[in-house]
Amino acid sequence: MLKLILIPLLLWVAYALWFRRTQERILFPADRRPLVLADAGLPDFQTVWVPAGEGLSLEGWYRPAEGFTKPTVLVLNGRNRHPGALGPLARLLADAGFGVLLAGLRGQGGNPGGPGQAGWIDDSRAWADFLVQRGISGGRLILYGRDTGAFLAAGLAAERSVARLVLEAPFTSLADLLERRLPLLPLRSLLRHRFEITPALGQVQAPVLILHAGGDRDVPLALGSRLDGHFLAPPQSFRPPGVAAADLLARGGDEVLLAFLEAAAPTGRGSTLDQEKPGGGRALVVRD
């Protein structure tokens, strides 16, 4: 009788220890394939680099806005998705006149380093500072994050002044997301990467749009809907029922997104910008 109890218990302990030790490889399988801009439909984008923590140099993909007529959108990718999948989104935004920066994160799109929460937070800040150095912040910066990228975008919006924040397929925490798939594990004790988004939401001053496909099989709609009450002001949302995640933009999300972003577009040149400095602080920058 004792063996019948001990054997399953030992197997469960071994499983939990295995998950604890190998969780990065399980949860964030690194995709080292480089992004080929032409294949992603982005031949007019340029490859750019930023220095990141641990001596890394990260590759990203950038198309500046023409002049200072519209803001630039910093796009933060999610886990388990190659940056090339963001090609249609980047093309939509660029064709509408917005500047676009697809932020390369460690472990994605040919970039070195291991994926995970702490490193990706550092990477997102490095890319935001890349834009600050080009006079883009405050009212000229829009943040767009998908999946775990929504956590990164919300964190940046809580730290910095931005024009708009867009969250696609956000979720409350990684433990909440995984509990239906790994119900036997004490995830909140085992996870090194929590991606708990709610603490940042109450500090976001910018208008917020949430995009979430009702038929998303990876991030259940219910996990995103739980976030609505955590913002300072009710977010705008677009959650079409029955629509697959890959079809979100094509099934009306593109029009909702562009209308939301157009409201943030500057009125023209000659304005004085209240701008973030790299590493913190404020600066007034006059654009002629």
Side-chain angles (χ1 to χ4, degrees):
M1 183 66 178
L2 183 60
K3 287 184 178 180
L4 294 178
I5 297 175
L6 286 178
I7 290 175
L9 179 60
L10 290 174
L11 289 174
W12 178 84
V13 170
Y15 178 44
L17 291 174
W18 170 80
F19 177 84
R20 172 73 177 178
R21 184 173 301 174
T22 63
Q23 61 184 268
E24 286 82 12
R25 191 163 69 246
I26 297 169
L27 300 176
F28 317 119
D31 191 338
R32 304 293 184 184
R33 294 175 298 152
L35 173 61
V36 180
L37 289 171
D39 292 348
L42 307 173
D44 50 337
F45 279 58
Q46 57 186 275
T47 301
V48 292
W49 289 267
V50 295
E54 302 177 4
L56 300 177
S57 180
L58 301 178
E59 180 180 339
W61 306 275
Y62 181 44
R63 183 181 186 275
E66 295 183 4
F68 280 83
T69 58
K70 285 192 177 181
T72 293
V73 184
L74 172 58
V75 181
L76 296 159
N77 193 21
R79 67 202 160 88
N80 305 339
R81 194 184 198 194
H82 190 267
L86 298 170
L89 170 65
R91 183 77 274 152
L92 172 72
L93 296 172
D95 289 348
F98 293 94
V100 183
L101 173 58
L102 298 181
L105 305 177
R106 61 190 71 191
Q108 294 186 357
N111 278 312
Q117 177 175 321
W120 285 347
I121 290 174
D122 289 344
D123 299 346
S124 67
R125 289 171 175 160
W127 285 114
D129 285 344
F130 170 89
L131 291 175
V132 168
Q133 291 162 359
R134 285 151 182 80
I136 299 168
S137 66
R140 298 195 182 277
L141 176 60
I142 294 169
L143 301 174
Y144 187 113
R146 181 191 179 278
D147 190 88
T148 48
F151 165 86
L152 300 175
L156 283 177
E159 297 174 354
R160 305 172 183 236
S161 173
V162 298
R164 291 284 191 274
L165 172 64
V166 182
L167 306 177
E168 181 187 342
F171 51 84
T172 49
S173 71
L174 192 57
D176 290 339
L177 182 65
L178 296 176
E179 65 181 1
R180 64 191 178 99
R181 303 173 191 174
L182 302 169
L184 299 179
L185 291 177
L187 291 169
R188 298 186 192 281
S189 299
L190 295 175
L191 283 172
R192 284 188 289 271
H193 312 273
R194 300 182 180 278
F195 289 99
E196 294 175 342
I197 195 174
T198 50
L201 300 183
Q203 303 176 58
V204 174
Q205 302 288 330
V208 178
L209 170 65
I210 296 177
L211 301 172
H212 205 150
D216 192 323
R217 295 184 178 181
D218 189 30
V219 181
L221 189 63
L223 285 184
S225 299
R226 288 186 205 172
L227 301 176
D228 289 4
H230 291 274
F231 294 93
L232 294 175
Q236 183 178 336
S237 63
F238 179 69
R239 297 174 171 127
V243 172
D247 298 328
L248 180 60
L249 291 179
R251 297 286 295 274
D254 53 353
E255 295 180 1
V256 173
L257 174 61
L258 290 180
F260 179 74
L261 299 186
E262 290 287 355
T267 56
R269 297 173 180 263
S271 58
T272 300
L273 308 182
D274 185 14
Q275 173 192 318
E276 301 285 347
K277 294 179 181 177
R282 313 288 295 177
L284 292 179
V285 179
V286 179
R287 297 295 177 191
D288 296 324

